[in-house]
Amino acid sequence: MTIKVKKFGKILNGRPAGREGALILKQMLPEIEKEIVLDFEGVLVLTPSYADEFLRNLVILNHKIQIINASQIVKDTLIAIDFPLDLKRSDPLRLKK
């Protein structure tokens, strides 16, 4: 399942907004869906607080996460929060196991 993250906004900022986005995302995902593609095309800013809240549930629920169209700003944020990505690859980024 591919999720266009831009639907949550072009500037993704703040823990409360990230928590709200995570709740919406959780409702969008069928429980059996284990492979998720997050398309960051059009996202201009992703702050660490938003990213932490938004992505934490996906990791807790053990989803396989692929990130595509991530700008350098988005990649830097994911690195800053120690999101477990294999950054040795070029896009798409995949969750490290």
Side-chain angles (χ1 to χ4, degrees):
M1 171 175 233
T2 300
I3 305 292
K4 300 234 179 237
V5 181
K6 185 173 75 173
K7 289 182 179 180
F8 299 96
K10 291 183 179 182
I11 298 175
L12 303 175
N13 181 28
R15 204 163 281 285
R19 194 172 304 118
E20 183 179 331
L23 291 171
I24 292 168
L25 183 61
K26 191 174 180 181
Q27 291 175 354
M28 293 170 61
L29 297 174
E31 287 192 25
I32 57 169
E33 188 74 45
K34 287 296 180 187
E35 200 161 311
I36 301 163
V37 177
L38 296 176
D39 184 350
F40 278 89
E41 182 177 22
V43 174
L44 303 175
V45 175
L46 176 67
T47 64
S49 56
Y50 187 100
D52 183 52
E53 287 291 332
F54 186 74
L55 298 171
R56 182 183 321 161
N57 286 327
L58 297 178
V59 174
I60 290 170
L61 296 173
N62 202 26
H63 288 287
K64 292 181 183 175
I65 302 168
Q66 179 181 4
I67 293 179
I68 61 172
N69 300 318
S71 68
Q72 191 59 50
I73 291 171
V74 170
K75 290 177 187 177
D76 289 345
T77 297
L78 296 174
I79 292 167
I81 66 166
D82 291 327
F83 193 68
L85 293 172
D86 182 357
L87 294 176
K88 293 176 187 160
R89 301 172 165 217
S90 57
D91 258 3
L93 303 174
R94 296 187 187 278
L95 184 66
K96 246 197 286 189
K97 290 289 180 183

